[in-house]
C-alpha cells in the first residue's frame, strides 16, 4: 500500500469517496479541509469570508506539508493543485487521483448540500470560471483521473480500489505494446525494465509510463533525466523511449498502455499536431508540440522548447536578434524572441523554403549573407551545424563582435565550434544544454505539476 490522495473540485465527491476508500483499505482517512478548520477554529466558509482566499491557501499549504506520509487516504481541495509545492508534497510516495465531474453535476451536488459559493460570483459562474482556470494545472498533476459525473461516492471508491489492484492496462495490451517496443531500437536493459513493469506476474499495476517519441531516440538524455526526477520525488513512474518512423503508430501503441505523457522530438514535433485534441496557445502559434499528455480521454499538446530559449535571454528585452535556420527550433526561437519584443531577422540557406515561416511570424527572412546588415545583439544557431563531430560554424566567425550574446541550440557537444569562436571574440555565450535544461523544467511541470529548479535538472544530467 502507499498513501492515496484524492483531489478535485468541490462536488466531485472526494471526501465521501475518500472516507469509503479508507474504510475498504482499512487505513486512516484525512481531509485537509477538516484539518484546516480544526487548525483555524472556523469553517472554510468563515475563513474565506473573514480572512480571504490567500489566508486559506497559506493554511492549506501548511496543512499539506504537515501530512503524514504513511499508508492512508487523503482528500484535498482542487485549488491546492495550483501551487506546485503542494503538488510535490502530495505526490511524493503517493498515488494521486483527480476526481472530475461536469459543471452541471457539480452545481447540482453543491446546491443540494446548501453550501454557499466561495467567491462573490453566482455558484454556476463560479464553477465554470474556476473549472476552466484550473484545468491546465490538473492535466499533469495526477496519476489517474476518475470522472464521477455518473458515479456516486461508493462507485468512485470501488473504481479506485480496482485500479490499485489491477491497474488500467490489460495483460494482452501490455504484451502487444512490449512486442512493439522490442521491434524498435531500444536497449536490452530498458526493454527488460519495461517488461518487468508491465508484463511480469506480480507486477506493480499502477506505475505510470512516460516516454520520448522520436526517430531516432537512442541518444536522448530524457530517460536518464526523468527517471532520476521520478526517483527524487518518489513517484511511481517510469520513463522509456519509443523510437519508430511512424508517429501514428507510436501513439496507437502508447495508448494501449494508457501512457501518461510523451516528450516529442525530431522529426515528429509538427506531426504531433494531428494527434492532439487540445493544443495550447504556444503550440498553435509555433506550429509544433514537444509535449503530449493523455488526460481523461483527451490528448493535450504543449510546447516547452520556446521557454527554454526565452528564459536565458529574458533580461535582453527589445534587442536585435538573428536566428540562423528556419526549422522547428528556429520557429520556437522566433516565438520566444518576439515575446521579448525583439526585432528578429531569420537567416537561412534556403529563403524560399522559409516563406511560410516568415508569414507565420512576420519576421524578415534573409540569406546567410544578410547577417552583417542585421547588426544583431543576439545570435541564435537553430541549425544542426556544429553537432557531433561537425567542426563547422553556421556563420563566418569574423562577423562576431564583442558584447554579442551567442546562443547555440546544439547541445552535443556542449561546447560547439560557434561557441568557442564566440568566446574568443568576446561574446557572451549560452550553450544548448541551457535550452535542454529549461525546457525540461517546463516539461516536468506539464507532466507532473511539480516545479523543479534548473539546478536540480543539471544535477540529474551529471
Ligand atoms: P530542423 O527542423 O531539421 O531544421 C534545421 C534547420 O537548419 C533548417 O532550416 C535547415 O535548412 C537548416 N540547416 C541544416 N543544415 C544546414 C547547413 N549546413 N547550413 C545552414 N542551414 C542548415 O531541425 P530543428 O528541430 O529545428 O533543430 C535544429 C537544431 O536545434 C538541432 O541541432 C537540434 O539539436 C537543436 N535543438 C536543440 C534543443 C535543445 O534542447 N537544446 C531542442 C531542439 C532542437 P534546410 O531547410 O535548408 O535544410
Amino acid at each position: 500500500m502507499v498513501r492515496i490522495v484524492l483531489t478535485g473540485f468541490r462536488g466531485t465527491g472526494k471526501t465521501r469517496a475518500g472516507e469509503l476508500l479508507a474504510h475498504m483499505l482499512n487505513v486512516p482517512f484525512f481531509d485537509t479541509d477538516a484539518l484546516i478548520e480544526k487548525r483555524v477554529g472556523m469553517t472554510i466558509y468563515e475563513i474565506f469570508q473573514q480572512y480571504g482566499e490567500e489566508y486559506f491557501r497559506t493554511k492549506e499549504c501548511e496543512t499539506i506539508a504537515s501530512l503524514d506520509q504513511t499508508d492512508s487516504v487523503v482528500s484535498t481541495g482542487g485549488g491546492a493543485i495550483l501551487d506546485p509545492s503542494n503538488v510535490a508534497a502530495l505526490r511524493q510516495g503517493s498515488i494521486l487521483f483527480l476526481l472530475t465531474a461536469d459543471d452541471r453535476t457539480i452545481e447540482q451536488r453543491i446546491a443540494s448540500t446548501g453550501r454557499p459559493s466561495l467567491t462573490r460570483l453566482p455558484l454556476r459562474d463560479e464553477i465554470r470560471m474556476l473549472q476552466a482556470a484550473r484545468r491546465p494545472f490538473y492535466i499533469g498533476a495526477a496519476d489517474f483521473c476518475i470522472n464521477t459525473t455518473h458515479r456516486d461516492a461508493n462507485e468512485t471508491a470501488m473504481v479506485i480500489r480496482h485500479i490499485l489492484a489491477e491497474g488500467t492496462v490489460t495483460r494482452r495490451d501490455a504484451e502487444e505494446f512490449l512486442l512493439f517496443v522490442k521491434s524498435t531500437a531500444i536497449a536490452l536493459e530498458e526493454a527488460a525494465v519495461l517488461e518487468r513493469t508491465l508484463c511480469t506476474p506480480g507486477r506493480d499495476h499502477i506505475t505510470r509510463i512516460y516516454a520520448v517519441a522520436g526517430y531516432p531516440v537512442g541518444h536522448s538524455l530524457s530517460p536518464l533525466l526523468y527517471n532520476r526526477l521520478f526517483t527524487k520525488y518518489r513517484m511511481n513512474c517510469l520513463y522509456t523511449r519509443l523510437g519508430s518512423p511512424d508517429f501514428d503508430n507510436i501513439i496507437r501503441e502508447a495508448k494501449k498502455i494508457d501512457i501518461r505523457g510523451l516528450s516529442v522530438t525530431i522529426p515528429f514535433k509538427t506531426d504531433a499536431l494531428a494527434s492532439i485534441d487540445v493544443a495550447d496557445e504556444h503550440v498553435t502559434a509555433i506550429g509544433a508540440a514537444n509535449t503530449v499528455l493523455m488526460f481523461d480521454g483527451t490528448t493535450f499538446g504543449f510546447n516547452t522548447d520556446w521557454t527554454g530559449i526565452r528564459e536565458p535571454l529574458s533580461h535582453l528585452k527589445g534587442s536585435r536578434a538573428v536566428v540562423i535556420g528556419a526549422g522547428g527550433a528556429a520557429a520556437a526561437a522566433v516565438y520566444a524572441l518576439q515575446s521579448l519584443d525583439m526585432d528578429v531577422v531569420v537567416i537561412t540557406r534556403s529563403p524560399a523554403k522559409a516563406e511560410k515561416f516568415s508569414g507565420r511570424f512576420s519576421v524578415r527572412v534573409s540569406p546567410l549573407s544578410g547577417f552583417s546588415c542585421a547588426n544583431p545583439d543576439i545570435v541564435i544557431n537553430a541549425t544542426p551545424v556544429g553537432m557531433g563531430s561537425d567542426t563547422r560554424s553556421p556563420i563566418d566567425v569574423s562577423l562576431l563582435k564583442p558584447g554579442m550574446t551567442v546562443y547555440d541550440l546544439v547541445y552535443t557537444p556542449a561546447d560547439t565550434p560557434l561557441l568557442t569562436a564566440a568566446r574568443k571574440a568576446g561574446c557572451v555565450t549560452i550553450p544548448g544544454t541551457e535550452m535542454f535544461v529549461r525546457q525540461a523544467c517546463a516539461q516536468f511541470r506539464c507532466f507532473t505539476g511539480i516545479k523543479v529548479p534548473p539546478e536540480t535538472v543539471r544535477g540529474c544530467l551529471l
Side-chain angles (χ1 to χ4, degrees):
M1 232 312 274
V2 290
R3 190 175 67 164
I4 310 299
V5 179
L6 309 191
T7 187
F9 202 81
R10 294 197 300 154
T12 51
K14 59 189 178 301
T15 306
R16 186 68 191 126
E19 280 169 351
L20 291 166
L21 183 67
H23 183 70
M24 287 172 190
L25 300 173
N26 198 21
V27 293
F29 172 67
F30 302 101
D31 173 26
T32 57
D33 280 354
L35 294 173
I36 295 166
E37 288 182 337
K38 198 167 156 197
R39 203 175 255 252
V40 182
M42 284 181 186
T43 65
I44 300 293
Y45 180 70
E46 287 165 349
I47 297 173
F48 266 75
Q49 294 306 307
Q50 282 207 27
Y51 297 115
E53 179 168 359
E54 207 178 316
Y55 178 82
F56 170 77
R57 295 293 167 206
T58 309
K59 294 292 145 196
E60 184 177 55
C61 202
E62 288 167 13
T63 305
I64 287 172
S66 71
L67 285 169
D68 213 340
Q69 294 216 353
T70 51
D71 293 356
S72 55
V73 176
V74 173
S75 147
T76 192
I81 300 304
L82 274 56
D83 180 338
S85 67
N86 286 338
V87 182
L90 290 166
R91 296 199 74 165
Q92 297 202 32
S94 310
I95 302 293
L96 200 146
F97 287 83
L98 176 76
L99 308 191
T100 62
D102 61 36
D103 291 359
R104 202 181 148 83
T105 306
I106 288 178
E107 186 186 354
Q108 282 168 355
R109 287 181 186 160
I110 296 178
S112 73
T113 62
R115 282 185 283 168
S117 60
L118 292 176
T119 62
R120 294 182 198 285
L121 294 170
L123 184 59
R124 177 169 299 186
D125 295 343
E126 176 183 284
I127 293 166
R128 194 180 316 119
M129 190 263 293
L130 288 179
Q131 286 253 82
R134 289 179 183 180
R135 201 160 290 123
F137 295 88
Y138 285 165
I139 293 165
D143 293 290
F144 296 95
C145 175
I146 315 279
N147 191 328
T148 70
T149 302
H150 302 295
R151 293 186 171 109
D152 64 22
N154 191 46
E155 287 165 331
T156 301
M158 302 271 275
V159 170
I160 295 172
R161 190 173 66 164
H162 178 80
I163 290 174
L164 293 172
E166 304 286 333
T168 53
V169 182
T170 67
R171 173 99 196 219
R172 188 193 158 126
D173 280 342
E175 282 171 355
E176 279 182 16
F177 173 77
L178 197 68
L179 278 180
F180 162 72
V181 173
K182 285 183 172 173
S183 74
T184 68
I186 194 168
L188 283 177
E189 318 83 80
E190 286 181 340
V193 172
L194 205 50
E195 182 160 15
R196 267 200 306 282
T197 308
L198 288 171
C199 302
T200 313
R203 71 201 157 104
D204 185 349
H205 298 278
I206 45 178
T207 307
R208 299 314 322 261
I209 310 289
Y210 295 77
V212 53
Y215 192 69
V217 287
H219 66 287
S220 174
L221 296 175
S222 297
L224 171 85
L225 169 64
Y226 289 116
N227 284 322
R228 285 186 173 168
L229 289 174
F230 289 143
T231 304
K232 174 178 167 49
Y233 289 103
R234 298 197 296 118
M235 295 169 71
N236 190 351
C237 301
L238 177 69
Y239 191 105
T240 188
R241 47 186 108 223
L242 300 174
S244 163
D246 180 349
F247 189 70
D248 288 346
N249 205 15
I250 291 181
I251 287 282
R252 205 171 30 253
E253 292 296 327
K255 283 184 174 172
K256 285 185 182 161
I257 52 143
D258 191 21
I259 200 131
R260 186 69 183 87
L262 291 172
S263 309
V264 181
T265 188
I266 292 173
F268 298 137
K269 289 184 186 182
T270 307
D271 298 8
L273 298 184
S275 305
I276 290 168
D277 302 315
V278 182
D280 83 347
E281 56 177 308
H282 312 299
V283 167
T284 309
I286 297 167
N290 75 332
T291 309
V292 168
L293 265 105
M294 312 285 179
F295 174 79
D296 200 14
T298 304
T299 306
F300 292 85
F302 303 90
N303 190 307
T304 66
D305 279 340
W306 75 282
T307 44
I309 299 169
R310 187 185 198 276
E311 281 179 16
L313 300 172
S314 58
H315 58 295
L316 297 172
K317 267 191 152 193
S319 303
R320 284 184 306 272
V322 156
V323 174
I324 313 164
V334 172
Y335 183 70
L337 299 175
Q338 289 192 332
S339 78
L340 291 169
D341 301 326
M342 294 196 194
D343 178 35
V344 185
V345 178
V346 173
I347 66 166
T348 162
R349 66 178 175 182
S350 32
K353 269 201 208 167
E355 276 314 305
K356 196 171 59 172
F357 186 88
S358 66
R360 178 182 284 277
F361 295 108
S362 18
V363 285
R364 278 171 290 147
V365 175
S366 147
L368 293 174
S369 57
F371 182 89
S372 41
C373 301
N375 188 23
D377 311 304
I378 297 170
V379 180
I380 296 189
N381 176 32
T383 75
V385 177
M387 199 162 145
S389 55
D390 184 353
T391 54
R392 293 172 304 161
S393 161
I395 47 159
D396 176 355
V397 294
S398 67
L399 298 169
L400 297 170
K401 302 274 177 289
M404 280 180 178
T405 296
V406 178
Y407 192 172
D408 196 340
L409 304 189
V410 170
Y411 67 97
T412 45
D415 202 15
T416 61
L418 173 65
L419 290 180
T420 309
R423 245 192 333 273
K424 274 195 196 141
C427 305
V428 176
T429 57
I430 307 173
T433 41
E434 262 316 280
M435 174 178 175
F436 183 76
V437 166
R438 306 286 182 139
Q439 69 76 29
C441 292
Q443 191 169 67
F444 193 68
R445 177 115 191 238
C446 283
F447 279 163
T448 65
I450 296 173
K451 196 170 173 182
V452 56
E455 310 78 66
T456 305
V457 169
R458 284 190 203 101
C460 286
L461 290 168
L462 294 176

